[in-house]
Amino acid sequence: MIIKIKSDNKCFLDILHKNPNTDQGLYLKELKNGILIGNVIAENEYHCLFLDGKHSYLPEEGNQIDFQSHCSPLLALNIMSEFFNHLYKENNTLAATVIPWLEKNYQAVDTEKCTIEVPTFFIDSNWYKNGKYLLSKYIDGIILVNKIGNNFELKIEGATVREAMQKFSLVSLFSHFTNKYAVYTFIDDHFIQKHITMFTNLTGIPYFVFYLFIKRIMRSPSQFEKFKPQLEAYFNNEVQFVFTDTHQSRKEFICSRINFEESVLDFGCGELQYYKQLHKKGFREEYYAYDEVDFKHIAYKIQESERTENLIWVESLEEIKDFEGQIVLSEVIEHNSLEEAKNILIWIRDNTKFTKLFVTTPDKDFNVNYELTEEFRHDDHDFELSNAEFVSLINEIFPNPKEFHGVGDCVKGVYPTSAVIIQKK
């Protein structure tokens, strides 16, 4: 792998802490099984080159060709840490740090644009789709050009050397953790803190990038709780994060409120995610699964593998008429027209004797946090409601006692999921 860093800043090499008068500008360090070489090309250009001895970044031991040592995002991340770790301090601290031989601080000298280029960079994930890279949507100055297969030419543009470095490391970080072909990386608190510092050093990073960082990289709820205040402080505490992703947050919200001594009807059960979670927690009452799409092969597979007798696949609405118990209607109504959704809710109201009815649906007002404007959150949605519209719809159909909730992260008072628990009459 080769990384080319360029800037017209007259103090460029001083910012990098590289002196062309030392060993003709050559710097050599051991990295895994190879040698990392830093070379001053000119006063405005610096190259980093990795020459591997044997299989330093090989995920599969049986593979004799370690092409990852030429293009791995993890390698890029390691190179930057080895050569430029001094540039990853907190912004204000670094800005005030004096470069001794210049007798000036970084704020005074790091004032020119900088670019970082990698001729071959490996991305093997759905973050690059339809000619677009996900992070480019949220962070300016990330340019990817597909060369062949999963190999790309990467260019990063920053207003300063520090900004370019931090953007480059974030792209390397996310690319590594989302690649299918990746080596395991140990993630400790030091690793998390370092990359949170990168995030908070950059201005204008949107909520969704932080969301991806928490869901993709943080390994435990305790680790999340430790760093949660720093993440929320970036948004002046107008954002409240939770550890679980949007889908898991819905499941936990409903499953934590299910009565384990009453039957459940999962109306629009999909691939039976709720049953799997409840069964794991010890739910043993009858569980009726109904969906217009034929998922009974999944139900039968679960019955066989779990040796469970309480899961019952329902073929038609007639079989669940007069059902008595709890009903889960999660992320179902938006897959129908609004009129059909109303009919589903009315049918449940008039044909069942539910003790609790759980209804969830996306809040369209949250979509702006996914950089969506007119689009629905998913292609198979026929409509999406704001929380106020959802409350109005439920109140129109159900006079019952009820509790409305927002589920998931909260951004300026808006949640990704609107939820209601409707009690029996």
Side-chain angles (χ1 to χ4, degrees):
M1 172 177 275
I2 184 167
I3 299 173
K4 302 175 182 179
I5 310 168
K6 302 174 185 177
S7 175
D8 290 334
N9 193 319
K10 293 180 180 178
C11 297
F12 174 59
L13 296 175
D14 299 293
I15 294 166
L16 297 184
H17 284 194
K18 304 304 176 191
N19 184 350
N21 297 318
T22 303
D23 299 324
Q24 288 75 52
L26 277 174
Y27 297 82
L28 285 81
K29 296 182 93 172
E30 290 184 356
L31 179 60
K32 291 186 178 287
N33 300 319
I35 298 293
L36 183 57
I37 303 167
N39 189 24
V40 176
I41 303 300
E43 65 177 10
N44 65 339
E45 186 168 354
Y46 191 82
H47 288 188
C48 304
L49 178 68
F50 180 66
L51 298 177
D52 197 20
K54 187 178 180 182
H55 299 169
S56 290
Y57 289 86
L58 183 67
E60 302 167 11
E61 292 183 3
N63 191 338
Q64 296 304 306
I65 302 174
D66 182 13
F67 72 94
Q68 286 285 339
S69 292
H70 303 283
C71 54
S72 165
L74 179 60
L75 170 58
L77 202 61
N78 289 348
I79 288 173
M80 303 312 275
S81 292
E82 288 291 333
F83 270 157
F84 311 113
N85 205 39
H86 65 287
L87 294 176
Y88 292 106
K89 296 176 184 175
E90 188 272 329
N91 243 7
N92 292 332
T93 302
L94 183 59
T97 300
V98 174
I99 302 173
W101 55 90
L102 293 181
E103 297 183 346
K104 294 179 181 178
N105 61 30
Y106 284 90
Q107 184 73 30
V109 299
D110 189 11
T111 56
E112 300 287 332
K113 293 179 181 178
C114 176
T115 62
I116 301 175
E117 299 172 9
V118 183
T120 308
F121 191 81
F122 185 80
I123 296 179
D124 179 23
S125 74
N126 60 6
W127 282 35
Y128 185 85
K129 190 163 54 177
N130 301 325
K132 296 180 180 178
Y133 181 56
L134 183 63
L135 284 184
S136 299
K137 188 175 183 179
Y138 302 104
I139 303 174
D140 292 335
I142 300 173
I143 302 155
L144 272 174
V145 178
N146 187 232
K147 295 175 74 173
I148 184 169
N150 295 315
N151 291 317
F152 295 80
E153 183 178 342
L154 171 65
K155 183 177 181 181
I156 300 292
E157 297 174 345
T160 63
V161 174
R162 289 167 293 161
E163 182 180 291
M165 292 282 187
Q166 319 241 5
K167 285 182 181 180
F168 179 64
S169 289
L170 287 178
V171 171
S172 301
L173 176 79
F174 278 114
S175 298
H176 170 61
F177 281 101
T178 55
N179 274 355
K180 299 168 193 168
Y181 196 78
V183 294
Y184 176 76
T185 305
F186 178 69
I187 301 172
D188 59 8
D189 288 354
H190 175 75
F191 185 95
I192 294 291
Q193 181 61 71
K194 178 178 178 178
H195 291 92
I196 286 177
T197 300
M198 288 183 200
F199 271 107
T200 52
N201 277 348
L202 297 168
T203 58
I205 302 296
Y207 150 82
F208 191 55
V209 175
F210 281 80
Y211 170 88
L212 295 171
F213 179 76
I214 293 167
K215 309 320 172 197
R216 291 284 186 171
I217 296 167
M218 288 194 174
R219 291 301 195 227
S220 69
S222 59
Q223 194 175 64
F224 165 72
E225 289 298 332
K226 180 175 181 178
F227 295 104
K228 182 174 183 278
Q230 289 185 56
L231 301 173
E232 293 178 350
Y234 183 83
F235 297 97
N236 297 318
N237 296 310
E238 291 185 325
V239 174
Q240 288 80 48
F241 291 104
V242 298
F243 180 63
T244 49
D245 64 24
T246 304
H247 176 58
Q248 188 63 31
S249 295
R250 286 194 297 268
K251 287 201 294 182
E252 289 194 358
F253 169 77
I254 290 176
C255 292
S256 67
R257 289 161 174 80
I258 288 285
N259 182 348
F260 276 46
E261 296 179 358
E262 283 187 359
S263 299
V264 168
L265 165 61
D266 193 345
F267 196 108
C269 62
E271 297 185 358
L272 293 153
Q273 295 295 321
Y274 283 93
Y275 176 78
K276 292 173 186 175
Q277 182 144 329
L278 285 169
H279 183 71
K280 195 180 293 183
K281 289 174 178 266
F283 183 84
R284 296 297 179 262
E285 295 296 320
E286 290 181 327
Y287 192 100
Y288 296 86
Y290 170 77
D291 202 298
E292 289 183 348
V293 179
D294 189 359
F295 287 109
K296 65 173 173 282
H297 62 287
I298 294 177
Y300 293 161
K301 188 175 180 180
I302 293 171
Q303 288 168 344
E304 185 178 345
S305 62
E306 298 290 339
R307 296 181 181 177
T308 179
E309 296 180 355
N310 69 331
L311 177 57
I312 303 159
W313 179 259
V314 176
E315 295 282 357
S316 68
L317 290 176
E318 282 301 313
E319 295 180 49
I320 50 175
K321 233 174 179 183
D322 296 321
F323 168 82
E324 189 168 349
Q326 305 161 103
I327 300 179
V328 175
L329 188 72
S330 181
E331 307 302 288
V332 173
I333 60 174
E334 67 274 7
H335 294 278
N336 303 269
S337 69
L338 183 56
E339 195 59 37
E340 288 168 338
K342 287 181 179 179
N343 290 337
I344 290 170
L345 292 166
I346 291 168
W347 189 93
I348 290 173
R349 180 195 67 188
D350 295 343
N351 292 279
T352 69
K353 299 173 184 176
F354 64 82
T355 53
K356 281 183 187 176
L357 170 60
F358 300 88
V359 186
T360 72
T361 193
D363 182 346
K364 72 177 181 184
D365 287 344
F366 197 85
N367 289 353
V368 64
N369 297 301
Y370 301 129
E371 301 291 319
L372 299 174
T373 50
E374 299 300 321
E375 314 100 301
F376 291 141
R377 199 173 299 179
H378 296 290
D379 294 339
D380 57 354
H381 289 184
D382 284 40
F383 71 91
E384 290 178 356
L385 302 174
S386 67
N387 183 255
E389 290 168 336
F390 175 68
V391 170
S392 177
L393 172 67
I394 296 299
N395 284 334
E396 175 190 330
I397 296 172
F398 295 96
N400 313 40
K402 60 186 81 71
E403 305 166 18
F404 289 98
H405 297 267
V407 178
D409 293 338
C410 180
V411 179
K412 297 182 178 178
V414 181
Y415 296 83
T417 300
S418 296
V420 65
I421 305 173
I422 306 169
Q423 309 292 337
K424 65 181 178 181
K425 294 179 183 178

